Amino acid sequence: MGKNGMQILIQSLEKKIQILDELIKQNGVQEHILKQDSFDMDAFDATIDAQAGLVEKLEKLDSGFETLYERLREEVLKHKEQYRHEIAKLQSMIQQITDKVVVVNTGNMRNKMLAENQFKKEKQSIQQSVSKSKVARNYYNSMNNLNCVAPQFYDNKK
């Protein structure tokens, strides 16, 4: 299982790199949505759902990789020279993955700040419309009461 197992580990890391590239794309799409003047909540939710699915795939790949690596670790450590090329490739791929994870995390933090700003704008917009409707309602009520004259004299005796 040595060579085959190492090939499976390499394939797992290749899939992980592909998924991380997709996450980077989704971060870009999400950033574009958040920078728009008119906020599209449905599109934003779709990107979040897509990212959640990709993260779930990453977690499955990670657990499978670690399980397989635990099975192969002793054999690989005993025969380091035999697996020299595969180990070098795995190390290179892990470095790529680390770099991509940093890019994804940076994008997530940037998008988080953009989302907070966008939500703040939406909240202000809602507060303005509530305030405007309250002013309009008060104006309407005061205008309706303008023609109604309250009694000038009221007799308290019965």
Side-chain angles (χ1 to χ4, degrees):
M1 177 159 185
K3 288 281 187 189
N4 289 339
M6 291 299 282
Q7 290 303 316
I8 292 171
L9 289 177
I10 290 171
Q11 288 174 356
S12 174
L13 291 181
E14 287 171 347
K15 287 179 185 177
K16 190 169 183 176
I17 289 172
Q18 290 173 350
I19 291 173
L20 286 170
D21 287 337
E22 280 295 314
L23 273 173
I24 291 170
K25 276 187 204 174
Q26 286 296 325
N27 272 345
V29 170
Q30 200 174 60
E31 182 177 359
H32 178 72
I33 291 169
L34 290 168
K35 286 184 175 180
Q36 298 290 323
D37 288 336
S38 61
F39 183 63
D40 185 3
M41 189 63 163
D42 293 333
F44 183 71
D45 282 343
T47 61
I48 288 178
D49 291 342
Q51 282 181 334
L54 292 171
V55 168
E56 189 175 307
K57 287 180 183 178
L58 276 177
E59 289 173 354
K60 287 180 183 178
L61 281 173
D62 278 344
S63 67
F65 180 88
E66 289 188 23
T67 303
L68 184 57
Y69 178 73
E70 287 300 318
R71 287 188 201 165
L72 296 175
R73 187 172 67 160
E74 288 184 34
E75 182 180 340
V76 171
L77 291 176
K78 286 180 186 176
H79 304 100
K80 276 187 179 182
E81 197 57 40
Q82 182 182 356
Y83 296 109
R84 182 170 26 102
H85 297 293
E86 288 87 357
I87 291 172
K89 186 166 183 160
L90 286 173
Q91 287 173 336
S92 169
M93 294 174 86
I94 289 172
Q95 182 61 43
Q96 288 177 6
I97 289 169
T98 303
D99 294 343
K100 289 181 185 291
V101 166
V102 168
V103 170
V104 168
N105 287 336
T106 304
N108 283 341
M109 293 303 291
R110 182 176 46 249
N111 287 347
K112 180 182 176 191
M113 290 187 327
L114 288 171
E116 287 172 354
N117 289 338
Q118 194 64 260
F119 294 148
K120 207 179 287 183
K121 284 181 196 174
E122 291 293 319
K123 183 179 176 183
Q124 288 173 348
S125 171
I126 290 170
Q127 285 176 342
Q128 276 183 336
S129 59
V130 166
S131 175
K132 287 178 182 178
S133 69
K134 189 183 269 186
V135 167
R137 189 173 354 108
N138 287 341
Y139 176 76
Y140 176 77
N141 288 339
S142 66
M143 286 296 135
N144 277 343
N145 290 333
L146 191 61
N147 293 333
C148 179
V149 177
Q152 299 297 318
F153 298 101
Y154 184 71
D155 189 10
N156 288 336
K157 296 179 187 176
K158 276 198 170 187

